[in-house]
Amino acid sequence: MHILLIEDDLDLGRALQSALKVEGLTSEWLRRAVDAPASVDATMVDCVLLDLSLPDGSGFELLARWRAQGAQVPIILVTARSAVEDRLAGLDGGADDFVVKPFAMAELMSRIRAVLRRSARQASERWAVGELVIEPRRHQVRRGGVALDLSPREFQLLLELAREPGSVVPKGVLAQRLDPLGDPVDFGAIEVHVSNLRRKIGAEWIRTVRGVGYLLQA
């Protein structure tokens, strides 16, 4: 999963990237509002960590712009502002959570996992899709209680399909999300990974929608 970090403080930015890496999350770190993308969506990032006080603008402005565009990506505000008015403005403005500096890194990581679960419509750290049970943090998956041996890429692919079981995930979206920091994964490589994943979890679990993408049976 990929996190967009917008934070101007050098020490905090480095610490956050290190903590995210330990959690198994990739990240892109920006330090100015002007460098922030014009829009954000689920094909780009899974969650945004947004500082309110940037050297060239306000995080509130970015939040308002993205939500006005209809962005559904979870956004956590990370700020030194502790006034109730600021927290209310952030949450009412569309933020999913609000964390006040200084904070315990473990708490922030827990909050990130919580908003990611909500965005995937899962109530716990175990994602249940039929008899498939996926544990993103532990990189484990079981079918009918039996652990399955998936490669990192196969597990990542399953996780992306499991975010919206019963819905088609286009190949182009998978290509981008499987390697968010690099070039999109080749469609041919995706087909190979899907074939290997079907062999391990059962071919009936993944349906091909010709010319579009793949669907994980709910």
Side-chain angles (χ1 to χ4, degrees):
M1 293 187 176
H2 189 58
I3 308 298
L4 174 60
L5 169 61
I6 304 179
E7 166 62 58
D8 68 312
D9 184 273
L10 284 172
D11 290 336
L12 180 57
R14 293 190 186 105
L16 284 169
Q17 280 207 305
S18 295
L20 292 169
K21 186 175 182 179
V22 169
E23 287 286 316
L25 304 172
T26 60
S27 63
E28 179 183 6
W29 177 21
L30 305 175
R31 298 184 60 209
R32 301 185 302 167
V34 69
D35 296 325
S39 61
V40 292
D41 61 49
T43 66
M44 299 167 52
V45 297
D46 295 284
C47 179
V48 179
L49 298 181
L50 177 60
D51 187 5
L52 287 181
S53 301
L54 298 168
D56 61 338
S58 166
F60 280 131
E61 296 173 357
L62 292 176
L63 174 65
R65 183 176 77 204
W66 291 334
R67 291 308 191 216
Q69 294 170 345
Q72 300 296 313
V73 173
I75 298 175
I76 299 177
L77 299 181
V78 181
T79 178
R81 302 183 189 182
S82 59
V84 172
E85 292 79 7
D86 289 321
R87 293 201 296 272
L88 293 177
L91 295 171
D92 289 342
D96 295 86
D97 206 344
F98 192 107
V99 180
V100 178
K101 303 174 186 176
F103 51 81
M105 199 64 73
E107 178 187 359
L108 178 60
M109 295 302 111
S110 179
R111 289 176 181 268
I112 291 173
R113 291 194 297 270
V115 299
L116 289 174
R117 286 198 305 271
R118 291 198 295 269
S119 70
R121 295 189 289 278
Q122 297 288 345
S124 74
E125 298 230 4
R126 292 186 175 187
W127 296 14
V129 182
E131 64 177 2
L132 286 177
V133 177
I134 306 166
E135 297 184 63
R137 194 178 181 196
R138 300 177 63 186
H139 284 247
Q140 292 183 355
V141 59
R142 295 176 180 274
R143 179 183 177 185
V146 178
L148 304 178
D149 183 19
L150 304 185
S151 71
R153 186 67 91 191
E154 291 161 1
F155 184 85
Q156 189 180 10
L157 175 61
L158 177 60
L159 201 61
E160 294 302 333
L161 295 174
R163 289 160 64 86
E164 294 189 71
S167 298
V168 179
V169 182
K171 275 188 180 180
V173 172
L174 289 172
Q176 185 65 51
R177 294 181 66 84
L178 289 178
D179 193 2
L181 295 179
D183 293 329
V185 177
D186 180 80
F187 281 8
I190 291 177
E191 291 171 2
V192 171
H193 293 312
V194 168
S195 176
N196 291 336
L197 184 57
R198 280 183 169 135
R199 178 170 49 83
K200 293 181 179 181
I201 70 171
E204 71 276 10
W205 280 93
I206 301 175
R207 179 160 65 89
T208 299
V209 179
R210 192 172 301 278
V212 183
Y214 301 96
L215 176 152
L216 183 67
Q217 301 285 7

